[in-house]
């Protein structure tokens, strides 16, 4: 079975169809410009590297992507910086995934939070994870799964001013 990693559908029930996605987070690749690097998180928040491997039984890597989003806003208590959750689409490259995420139980945050994860790969699942502050990384994505009700990932917000929307 071959899966086209550039597949796109306009079906509203298809997880690849995320309204506004390409306007906000274009993935680098043929026909797409290099994505802008994200703004840094507040300096005192612990960042953990989370990895995952996706392959079939024959050892062939699976193409696809993983959607990740914090389930709520969180605030750095030392600086007062507020971090607003926004959906992130992470491309699975050669069956591998690696992402840096703020620890969801960092003592410098106002309170712990979880991440919603939606695997857009064959046999993918939807689940919640907690990224521990005190763990030594890199951490394995599937070892971080917690028993919690899955919170749907919202489409990314577009933070651009537009004359049509009353901006400049």
């Amino acid at each position: 079975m071959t899966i086209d990693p550039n597949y796109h559908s306009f079906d509203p029930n298809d997880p690849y169809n995320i309204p506004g996605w390409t306007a906000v987070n274009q993935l680098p690749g043929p026909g797409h410009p290099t994505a802008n690097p994200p703004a840094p998180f507040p300096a005192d928040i612990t960042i953990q590297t989370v990895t995952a491997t996706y392959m079939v039984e024959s050892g062939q890597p699976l193409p696809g992507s993983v959607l990740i989003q914090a389930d709520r806003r969180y605030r750095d208590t030392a600086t007062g910086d507020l971090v607003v959750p926004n959906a992130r689409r992470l491309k699975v490259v050669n069956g591998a995934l690696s992402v840096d995420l703020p620890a969801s139980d960092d003592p410098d945050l106002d309170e712990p939070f979880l991440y919603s994860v939606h695997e857009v790969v064959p046999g993918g699942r939807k689940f919640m994870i907690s990224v521990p502050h005190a763990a030594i990384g890199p951490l394995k994505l599937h070892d971080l799964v917690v028993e919690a009700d899955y919170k749907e990932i919202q489409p990314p917000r577009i933070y651009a001013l537009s004359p049509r929307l009353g901006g400049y």
Side-chain angles (χ1 to χ4, degrees):
M1 178 177 162
T2 304
I3 297 168
D4 179 3
N6 298 314
Y7 168 79
H8 182 76
S9 165
F10 294 99
D11 177 358
N13 298 316
D14 188 330
Y16 278 100
N17 181 23
I18 301 174
W21 192 272
T22 55
V24 178
N25 290 323
Q26 291 187 353
L27 295 175
H32 297 287
T34 303
N36 292 331
F41 288 103
D44 59 335
I45 294 178
T46 302
I47 305 296
Q48 295 281 21
T49 300
V50 177
T51 63
T53 303
Y54 294 92
M55 69 179 79
V56 293
E57 288 180 5
S58 64
Q60 295 296 318
L62 284 175
S65 60
V66 174
L67 309 175
I68 296 180
Q69 181 178 14
D71 70 345
R72 67 169 188 82
R73 295 174 178 216
Y74 51 95
R75 184 178 300 276
D76 179 347
T77 55
T79 64
D81 291 339
L82 178 67
V83 180
V84 178
N86 205 20
R88 295 173 65 185
R89 181 180 180 187
L90 308 165
K91 193 171 184 178
V92 176
V93 179
N94 294 325
L97 171 82
S98 179
V99 61
D100 292 333
L101 296 172
S104 53
D105 64 351
D106 191 312
D108 291 319
L109 298 177
D110 55 351
E111 61 181 275
F113 64 94
L114 299 173
Y115 288 97
S116 299
V117 178
H118 181 168
E119 298 173 319
V120 189
V121 296
R125 303 176 301 149
K126 295 179 181 180
F127 53 91
M128 303 296 285
I129 64 169
S130 175
V131 179
H133 168 262
I136 305 295
L139 307 172
K140 298 291 185 186
L141 176 69
H142 297 99
D143 293 341
L144 305 175
V145 176
V146 296
E147 290 295 324
D149 290 335
Y150 177 77
K151 184 173 179 182
E152 283 295 325
I153 294 177
Q154 300 301 312
R157 294 172 181 85
I158 299 175
Y159 296 107
L161 293 176
S162 165
R164 186 173 55 86
L165 300 174
Y168 295 95

